[in-house]
Amino acid sequence: SLAAAMAVIGRGALMLTNDSGLMHIAGARGVPLVAVFGPTNPRTTAPLGLSRLIRSQAECSPCLKRECPLNRQICWDDVGPDKVVKAGLELLDPPKARPGLSPAVFLDRDGTINREVDYLARPEQLELIAGAGSAVSALAKAGYKTVVVTNQSGLARGLFTVNDLDAIHARLKEMLAAEKAGLDGIYYCPHHPEGRVPEFSGNCVCRKPETGLYERAAEELKIDLARSVWVGDKLSDLSPAKKFGGRSVLVLTGHGLEAAAEIGDYQPTLLAPDLRRAAEWIAAQ
C-alpha cells in the first residue's frame, strides 16, 4: 500500500529512483536519493530534499513521452550504473571533521536573507525574508558559523559608496539581532569588469563564483570548507561548493526559481523554498 511504501522509504539510508511519486515521498521524508531523469524534465519535477539528479543528455530529452517515438530509447544511452553509484556514494559518505576547524554556512545576501532589490543602496530598503532571522539563529545553535558572502557591483558602478554599504550591513546586523541572530562575518566583492569607478573596475578573484572570499573567510574564521554549506538564490552562489567538496542549497526566493530552470551539470544538494527550510535541513544533518 502507499502507506506501507511511505513507512519503508522513511527508514532508508538512500533511495535510487526514477522520476516518480515515490521519489517525492523520499524527498518529503528527508531520505537522501539519487533520481534518474530520462524523458522527463527535472526543471519542473525535481524533488525537494537531499538529492543527486542523473539527467539524460540526449538532444530530444525531455520529450515527456511514455513511449519513445524513435523506438530507440536513446535517452538512456548515457545513463549508466557508474553515475548512479558515484552519486549515491557522495550522499552516503560525508566528510570527516578536522580538529580546530568549524563548518560554516555561507549565505548569499540579496534574495536569500533579505528581499531582492535592484542594487540595494540604502539601509531603509532592507527587508528580511520571513523566517530568515530564526534560520540564522538555528544554524548558529547547530554549530555552524554563519557568514554572508555577497557581490556588490553597485560599488564599481558608482551607485553607492563603501560608507553606504557599511550602513546597510550595520542595519542588517541590527535586524538579525532583533531576532536573536548574529553573523560571524560579512565579506563582499566590490568589483565588476565593466565598472565605472576605477579602483573597483576590472577582473578579480573575489567576485562569485570565484572563491577568493571563501578562502579568506576560511583562514580568518578557522572554517572547514569541506564540511560547509553554500546557500543562495543563484547558481553562482553555490558552485564554489563543488570545488571545496561542500554541500549546497538553492533557495527558491529571490532569483531562485529562474536559477532552478537553468540547472545544468552541477546539481545543488538541496532545493528549499526559503532560508528557514534550508536551515531546518542543515541543522538536522
Side-chain angles (χ1 to χ4, degrees):
S1 68
L2 181 60
M6 293 173 67
V8 171
I9 290 171
R11 293 180 65 87
L14 178 71
M15 184 170 183
L16 310 181
T17 177
N18 64 325
D19 178 14
S20 65
L22 295 180
M23 172 190 74
H24 291 291
I25 287 173
R29 294 297 308 272
V31 177
L33 64 93
V34 179
V36 180
F37 286 77
T40 57
N41 190 353
R43 293 183 178 179
T44 55
T45 57
L48 292 176
L50 179 57
S51 63
R52 291 286 190 273
L53 307 185
I54 308 295
R55 180 180 179 182
S56 171
Q57 300 302 311
E59 292 183 1
C60 53
S61 177
C63 68
L64 306 181
K65 299 184 183 298
R66 291 186 177 276
E67 300 293 335
C68 178
L70 303 177
N71 294 315
R72 292 162 57 194
Q73 301 294 342
I74 60 174
C75 60
W76 301 116
D77 288 350
D78 61 343
V79 178
D82 54 335
K83 290 185 178 180
V84 177
V85 169
K86 181 176 183 294
L89 291 175
E90 288 176 354
L91 293 174
L92 287 172
D93 187 23
K96 304 299 186 293
R98 296 170 59 194
L101 300 180
S102 300
V105 177
F106 291 106
L107 299 163
D108 176 52
R109 195 191 77 181
D110 303 320
T112 301
I113 298 176
N114 55 276
R115 296 196 181 280
E116 177 67 39
V117 175
D118 262 353
Y119 300 111
L120 190 153
R122 302 186 306 278
E124 55 268 28
Q125 293 176 292
L126 267 177
E127 181 185 355
L128 294 183
I129 293 172
S134 61
V136 174
S137 177
L139 292 170
K141 290 178 181 176
Y144 289 89
K145 292 185 176 179
T146 52
V147 183
V148 167
V149 178
T150 177
N151 287 342
Q152 292 299 319
S153 66
L155 288 169
R157 300 174 192 274
L159 301 177
F160 50 83
T161 67
V162 171
N163 288 339
D164 294 329
L165 187 59
D166 288 343
I168 289 168
H169 288 156
R171 176 58 180 154
L172 177 62
K173 291 177 181 178
E174 289 176 1
M175 296 173 76
L176 290 173
E179 299 194 31
K180 297 181 171 55
L183 297 169
D184 292 284
I186 298 178
Y187 294 79
Y188 64 86
C189 170
H191 307 106
H192 194 276
E194 300 173 3
R196 294 185 299 173
V197 178
E199 63 181 304
F200 297 139
S201 63
N203 296 314
C204 65
V205 297
C206 59
R207 180 172 172 79
K208 295 185 290 186
E210 297 295 333
T211 58
L213 290 180
Y214 304 106
E215 292 164 347
R216 178 182 155 198
E219 181 178 352
E220 294 178 354
L221 302 176
K222 307 300 181 187
I223 290 171
D224 186 345
L225 292 172
R227 291 195 297 132
S228 294
V229 188
W230 278 253
V231 182
D233 67 322
K234 296 180 181 178
L235 298 180
S236 59
D237 300 326
L238 311 182
S239 57
K242 183 176 182 180
K243 173 181 177 179
F244 297 118
R247 294 165 292 163
S248 61
V249 182
L250 178 66
V251 291
L252 302 182
T253 49
H255 296 288
L257 287 173
E258 299 127 73
E262 298 171 358
I263 290 175
D265 292 337
Y266 176 69
Q267 299 286 342
T269 313
L270 178 75
L271 299 179
D274 52 30
L275 181 56
R276 180 180 64 82
R277 291 288 295 277
E280 289 174 358
W281 173 77
I282 295 168
Q285 303 305 302

